[in-house]
């Protein structure tokens, strides 16, 4: 049976497309989900967003047994969550980290990163396109 | 139609009035809510408390479209939550930060503050009275 | 009436026994719960786990009025949660901190500890056995 | 005999209303003094400004025996003056700290604060209105 | 006339494919160049490598007038070169940063990054494939 | 032949029971030794105390060949002694760290810990009872 | 009417020429003033020195409306005075910072500098000649 | 002609004897001056206090030519004044630093000390008696 | 024989006049060279620019035996090059440091300065005019 | 019965008088002991020196029951010994800290001080005379 | 065929013997080369010096395939070059680090060392003799 | 009369040859002593080891008058002992520091070094051979 590809989004990403579109673009998370589904005809996309650190940890644990590919944009929890770090360390899926903008070019408190040490690879600054790049790269590696 | 004024409270503030009343006073959050409603006859008060960082982020997002005034006592998340910081940065309401006591006079880990950079103004150390001061100032600015 | 003993577990501890058993042992949280119940015939064990910081704060608040003994393994929230710290400071129960492994021998970001300053005592590195040691010590102190 | 309420202002606050009015508003210190006097019919306002750290220390010492309420906007000395800190620690009056803007949202060197640990309460970011809020709160506490 | 796409590589990348292939893969820089040329039929690839910080600065200056797309893997100079940072800040081309492995998961001295603040986007950890992802994304944006 | 269990105590622990008994309890080191001997009928207890860093290093070296269980309360040398750290790293015995009170709740200079990285497990804050807990746990592990 | 050029000197500069002349030269402040007057026939020189931080702030405020050129050697207040920083930020005159010796080559506490971020330009290490260089450059820019 | 001995006191020392006498003793500065005069029959005591950093710098400069012995309790300026540091470095008198209490046992911001590096010797924690000890030691060295 | 005056320029200064002329002015390095030659009729100007740290070190070594005056704008190597620092320390020429803008008013990583401790004097923020000021001051000192 | 006054000296103080006499004076520890005995006719002086941290801890413990006055020059252990700190905290005698020279004017690693927080008073920089000043002050306080 | 022994020297070492001979000795690099050749009759010495970081990286890469022994005095690049660090990590030769003087006794910025973690051994402070010691030790290990 | 050469060893070096021989080699301290005696026919070797900081200080003091050559491997006291630092500063012998392995490649707490600033030279990472290299170099310098 075909495993879905997990795409998990952290806090405030539900605002995407509705706030500062000149910076972040006009794509909403739904748009991104649709584009990913179109780009992955053979495998379903399990696409979710939450503002809760605990729920994000729950989902990463779930992904560990449900998929071999986890695309993760953890938003602000990237910079503060050791709990997420621990969940990712125990996760068997290949983890690809995505960021809409480039955290390295922002405030100092965004330079702490608890996701990258657990991720195989990172894509940052490509806007919504970064999700599709992650998907394509993951499919090439895995399929 | 009249928008409500949002008053959001973070972790452990539900204990107000029941713990160390000699320091924090005997007022409970319900007492504060009642006093704020009495002081705001023309606009309802949307008054909530949560111990969950994610729920606080949800509510700040909701407040952005539902009100023009957000009075926020984020409790300990003031000092640790970049997710809250991001939600506040995207919030269109005027944000007034309230603290029961004065964080600047407490432990060093309370000197990091992710709320103040997003808030128009701050009131700290006036106890429960601080909520009413925030309300009154907000009404003067906005009405 | 006999109060239960609270045993609260933080993020990722639900994975215990299923991941890296050569390090953490093969005991699951259910096994630990069963062994604690066997070791405490006279008092029930209120045993829970959550990945949510907010829910952990809720439970600590609940424990304050429901028990005189709180055994807490806060997992990663040990190192990041000021909200948990504040809840523990307001908690009337005697708090005993447990860790499966020894955080002092791990990464630097695990050396920040918001639980220990509120705990009467700490047990770390004994694996699942640490829970039983905490229980036994608590019963000797309290019964 | 009625004690005056002391309102002490530190360096550069004499420029208020004349510089960057779009940020700080058009009120001068004289305007603020007049509004405070109007709001305090029963007690005189002892309202002063100085650019000198030593004079500010002199006045805080004087206030200790001359009043029970000290409203203080120490300007830049908030962030550098241990001498002011020591004077405030020895001062018997109730001290309320006021800032026109919100120092927590400005440069890192404004995050050091030698006034807050000695103040009962703080109001920041309300512009000149903050003085009146401080006065009203002080009168409610004291009268 | 068609501008070439610049692909600049910093110190030690000439060793790629010859050292620790189990980590970095067996692709050499020549292989990567060939794959990029195959993937960009309409535009030539100006592909270079140097161990010299000064030469890398020379080339970035040259790229500013010769191309609209600069793909840059600055290697260790990413972490130490303010000169490179200044050249990139003056460069009119769109800059995409590539890293073979993920610097965020390595030593602390690799967490300082003088390239990212000047780059539009970053790809890290995909191995040689990252160059092709950068190329494809750049062509989609620009063509 | 039965190996003794080593119990080594560092500086100032000889004052136990004679200073601030309301905090540290009335038990002296002799009392603790007697209780440990009672609790370990099958194996002798080699129980010592010293104020000398060098002597503590000597004893740890001796323990390496003389026992399989070392219970160590290194007192203040926990926080300053790299020499002790090196001796413990070379020691073949299973090391259990004990502290009367909880160093994590005390001054910042007690947060540096050169013993924990070498210890299998740590017990802190249980007062003299911690020695017996360590003994019992060690016997269960080893016998 | 011709505006004077302000030349303000901070603490201990009144000792110039009388202490360690082998290092600082034999010129006194009076000598410097005389040489500046000779070099500025068309505009008077308003030349002052004070050891008081508050008085220096007073003078900078005065200079803002009285001149378009402020040459400032703030001495030690360069390194400690946020009050001076705020006054300079509000000052409309073009500010040129002068130092007799080179602070960058001295103690670490002289590397904090609250004047430079407000100054158009800096001259350091030329001894008393630096004042004349500043004057000449200022006249060329302004006249 | 006999030079006076300079005894200079910094901010808030004029409060001595009137605040927290159980800590600082009941002696006022006048009492201390009288006791020093009694202990120095052959040389007058030039005894002063100021809350102003600038005035303290003025007096240290004056002392350099007026005396060979300067006893200095700079109070809070000890910890913040580089201007005072520079004046002391240029001062020819033998400088003896006095503190009523022991700054090393107080807050971290009192551990920065700009006076000690310029002083020949320091006396701290002896209360008002420290002034007499400084005087006696100075007379023995100098007479 | 007349020695030339060395004027050495570091990385990215070859872009002067072509990038952001509203900030840095329209003068190119060639313009500056021409103006310096006009201002120094009696001594030739040895004027060079390089992006290479090693070449800059070579030239400083050469200058040590070829001239008595070295005017140096090391650009970004000012902040990172210990090699340059060592070459300057061994250089017999009088070194005058020039910067187009004022590094003290820019990013924190520009506050580290390896040139100033070796330079006799510094001129910053005067734009291209700073080179001529340095030349004039050098000629006055040396001729 | 008359208690002796304890005078304890730490590492390298046995070299006093034999090394760098132009700095430390020609007095040996024996000379100091003799002068202290002459100055204390009514009470014996228990005068010792050791290079061992552990022995110094032993002696401080002994002093706690044997005397009411402890004059301590802990030498380098002042800056590194938490064990000494703990012994002093448990010591009932009044502790007076003495240093031959002024640690505040020396290397940064001598600015950490574990003795001062436990000492009633400190004398530094008076050379051997400091011991006699400490003795005299102690006798005045105690007799 | 006999491989040469590589001896690579970094910036400013070409000045050896010509600057401060009382500190560094009168030996030039040529003298050192000659003495090494005399001491290594059976294997040629490949002896080079460069001021360029990039060239040093080139040579380390070359050495990796050309020799089994690399003696390296990287001069200032020891303290700043991550590029050199990466080249050394990839180098198969046995690396012996040499310094003329002892960096540990010099400025703080020389305490960062990117060479030592990649070197088998280090010799510092023996002057030019250190090269011969390194050679002799290398020959003993390898021949 | 011929002075012996002092070779002093600090904590845990008595374990040499018995622990992790694959890293540290199979040579014991006795083997090293024998090899040094063989290599120094004309001068005796005073070879000692201690785990005690105080004893090491004693021996360094003794060496100061007994020898002109001190070879010192201070082990862990290298990184923590200011007392040893002070003894070495007073020691007249030429001091050569030896380490079996390379501390610069180990944990951060081994990067603090109190011996190197007092040593003429350092040899690290050559294993037991380092002692012989130190001896040979010392004899060449001194004989």
């Amino acid at each position: 049976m075909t495993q879905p590809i997990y795409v998990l989004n952290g806090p405030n990403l539900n605002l995407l497309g509705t706030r500062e579109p000149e910076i972040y673009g006009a794509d909403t998370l739904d748009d991104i989900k649709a584009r990913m589904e179109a780009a992955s005809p053979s495998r379903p996309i399990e696409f979710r967003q939450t503002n809760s650190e605990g729920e994000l940890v729950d989902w990463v644990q779930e992904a560990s047994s449900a998929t071999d590919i986890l695309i993760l944009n953890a938003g602000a929890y990237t910079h503060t969550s050791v709990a997420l770090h621990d969940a990712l360390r125990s996760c068997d899926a290949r983890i690809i980290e995505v960021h809409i903008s480039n955290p390295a070019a922002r405030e100092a408190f965004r330079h702490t990163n608890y996701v990258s040490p657990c991720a195989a690879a990172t894509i940052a600054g490509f806007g919504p396109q970064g999700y599709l790049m992650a998907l394509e790269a993951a499919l090439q590696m895995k399929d």
Side-chain angles (χ1 to χ4, degrees), chain A:
Chain A
M1 203 201 74
T2 305
Q3 283 184 318
I5 293 171
Y6 270 62
V7 183
L8 302 181
N9 294 280
N12 297 302
L13 287 161
N14 56 325
L15 302 178
L16 203 66
T18 68
R19 320 255 348 146
E20 305 181 80
E22 69 286 0
I23 297 179
Y24 297 111
D27 285 323
T28 64
L29 275 196
D30 280 348
D31 297 334
I32 293 173
K33 183 185 175 195
R35 289 167 61 190
M36 294 185 89
E37 285 170 341
S40 174
S42 62
R43 293 182 61 175
I45 303 292
E46 185 64 37
F47 195 100
R48 305 179 190 166
Q49 187 272 338
T50 179
N51 290 332
S52 159
E53 182 181 12
E55 195 163 44
L56 201 55
V57 170
D58 291 343
W59 292 348
V60 169
Q61 292 183 357
E62 174 192 323
S64 179
S65 55
T67 189
D68 57 342
I69 297 179
L70 167 55
I71 295 172
L72 174 65
N73 181 347
Y77 291 135
T78 302
H79 313 301
T80 63
S81 178
V82 176
L84 180 61
H85 175 92
D86 287 353
L88 292 168
R89 285 230 304 217
S90 291
C91 180
D92 289 331
R94 180 175 179 88
I95 299 159
I96 299 181
E97 181 189 14
V98 173
H99 294 286
I100 300 289
S101 62
N102 203 342
R106 301 182 66 189
E107 303 96 325
F109 60 76
R110 294 190 209 271
H111 298 183
T112 299
N113 186 322
Y114 290 112
V115 170
S116 275
C118 311
T122 299
I123 290 172
F126 289 95
Q129 181 67 13
Y131 287 83
L132 292 162
M133 293 166 67
L135 176 63
E136 188 172 354
L139 290 174
Q140 287 186 345
M141 294 173 191
K142 291 285 176 172
D143 285 357

